[in-house]
Each structure stands twice: as structure tokens, then as C-alpha cells.
């Protein structure tokens, strides 16, 4: 049955929402790996044609690399795996709204879509502070879906930073992580 102009198919919307949650759950697994490495727990997944082609988590501290954000690493890995720099046909799933650097890479890589969990009030570049995804001055626009498993994504970050603050308050406790500096 064909959709009428301006009307969304509720079954297709439900299917898409379920897929978004499925892939965001994988990004949350990556965020947990980051936390286990004492990195800020952000995870990302790149999906192309219904297949996970790359997954990554933050590694800025371990790699001593300011560009080692989860979504940046996942997009680079996806490009290598696919053998092309253009990520057309791909969706990037990330637990926290991308920053300017990562949103800029999404423009340059020509992703079709980004799905993120929690908004980033301090650095979000897909609608919170900036909207790089639909800036008419740039040479590419892409769709954004926000708030997928938002509570779970935000909880992982809150828990990580709550533990860091508690560790600092303990008598004689020194900073145990570069991530909190």
C-alpha cells in the first residue's frame, strides 16, 4: 500500500524505531567498554545496508589522541572496511550528541543519518548548540534522530562522572584518571 504524501506509515515508523534501539544498544555496549578502560563512556556504531560495519568507543586518554571520539573512530573504521571515504547509505549511532569535530566529519563523509541518545548541552553540534546537519552553507546535509535510549545513554555518563567525583572526595584519594582532568 502506498503512503499518502505527508503521512508516515506507522508500521514502518515502529520498525525503524526498533532498529534504532537495536543499534543504539550496541553503541551502549561500546560505551561500557570505554568505561571499563576508564574513558568517558561514549560508544558508536556505523550501519550500512542493515549491517554493522564498524563500532568503537572513546579512546582519547589511552591513545593520547584528541580525535579519538567514538563516532570519529567508527567512521574512520567504516571507511576502511568499506574501501571508500564516502559513507553514503550509512547511519551513525552514538550515545552522546556529536561535537563540532565529529559532526563536521559526518558532513565530510556524507553520512545519510545520525542517531544519538543523550543531548550534549556543553558541545552538541546536531541541534543543541549548533546544527551542522542542516547548515545550508555546507555542501551536505543529513538527517538526525535524537533521544533514542536517551535515559540509558545519559545514565551511563552520569554514573561514570558520579563515581569520578566520589573518588576525588575520598580522603587521600588522588585523581585516578586523565579523563576527569
Amino acid at each position: 500500500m502506498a503512503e499518502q504524501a505527508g503521512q508516515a506509515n506507522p508500521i514502518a515508523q515502529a520498525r525503524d524505531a526498533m532498529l534504532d534501539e537495536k543499534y543504539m544498544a550496541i553503541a551502549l555496549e561500546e560505551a561500557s567498554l570505554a568505561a571499563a578502560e576508564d574513558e568517558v563512556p561514549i560508544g558508536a556504531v556505523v550501519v550500512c545496508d542493515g549491517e554493522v560495519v564498524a563500532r568503537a568507543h572513546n579512546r582519547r586518554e589511552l591513545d593520547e589522541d584528541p580525535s579519538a571520539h567514538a563516532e570519529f573512530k567508527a567512521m574512520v573504521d567504516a571507511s576502511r572496511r568499506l574501501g571508500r571515504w564516502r559513507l553514503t547509505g550509512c547511519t551513525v549511532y552514538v550515545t552522546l550528541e556529536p561535537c563540532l569535530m565529529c559532526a563536521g566529519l559526518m558532513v565530510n563523509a556524507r553520512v545519510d543519518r545520525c542517531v544519538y541518545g543523550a543531548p550534549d548541552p556543553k558541545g552538541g553540534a546536531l541541534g543543541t548548540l549548533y546544527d551542522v546537519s542542516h547548515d545550508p552553507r555546507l555542501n551536505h546535509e543529513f538527517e538526525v534522530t535524537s533521544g533514542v535510549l536517551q535515559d540509558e545513554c545519559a545514565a551511563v555518563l552520569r554514573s561514570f562522572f558520579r563515581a569520578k567525583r566520589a573518588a576525588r572526595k575520598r580522603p587521600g584519594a588522588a585523581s585516578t584518571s586523565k579523563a576527569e582532568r
Side-chain angles (χ1 to χ4, degrees):
M1 177 166 84
E3 290 180 24
Q4 292 182 356
Q7 291 183 341
N9 178 338
I11 294 171
Q13 286 180 326
R15 181 191 65 235
D16 291 347
M18 286 175 47
L19 285 173
D20 285 349
E21 289 183 6
K22 170 188 169 180
Y23 294 124
M24 188 61 72
I26 297 169
L28 278 164
E29 291 172 9
E30 286 293 322
S32 293
L33 294 173
E37 294 174 349
D38 209 23
E39 291 276 354
V40 175
I42 300 170
V45 175
V46 178
V47 175
C48 194
D49 297 324
E51 177 188 349
V52 174
V53 294
R55 51 191 292 171
H57 54 274
N58 268 12
R59 288 189 50 97
R60 291 190 319 169
E61 303 302 334
L62 288 171
D63 293 350
E64 297 178 334
D65 179 355
S67 71
H69 290 198
E71 61 272 44
F72 197 103
K73 291 180 66 56
M75 284 186 282
V76 170
D77 290 349
S79 290
R80 289 186 178 135
R81 178 156 183 221
L82 295 169
R84 56 188 167 98
W85 66 266
R86 291 180 194 260
L87 295 178
T88 51
C90 295
T91 298
V92 178
Y93 291 85
V94 60
T95 57
L96 183 67
E97 180 181 5
C99 68
L100 275 168
M101 174 183 69
C102 294
L105 184 59
M106 290 176 188
V107 169
N108 288 322
R110 314 293 198 269
V111 301
D112 284 3
R113 183 169 171 244
C114 177
V115 178
Y116 70 84
D120 184 357
K122 294 181 178 181
L126 294 184
T128 299
L129 294 180
Y130 310 97
D131 190 359
V132 174
S133 66
H134 288 92
D135 188 326
R137 298 168 296 178
L138 300 176
N139 63 349
H140 176 71
E141 292 186 3
F142 57 95
E143 294 305 311
V144 174
T145 301
S146 61
V148 174
L149 300 182
Q150 179 176 337
D151 293 341
E152 294 89 333
C153 293
V156 169
L157 288 160
R158 269 194 310 274
S159 175
F160 178 81
F161 287 111
R162 185 176 297 127
K164 292 292 173 197
R165 287 189 298 275
R168 277 198 314 255
K169 289 180 181 179
R170 279 189 230 118
S175 174
T176 59
S177 168
K178 294 181 198 175
E180 61 188 309
R181 290 186 208 149

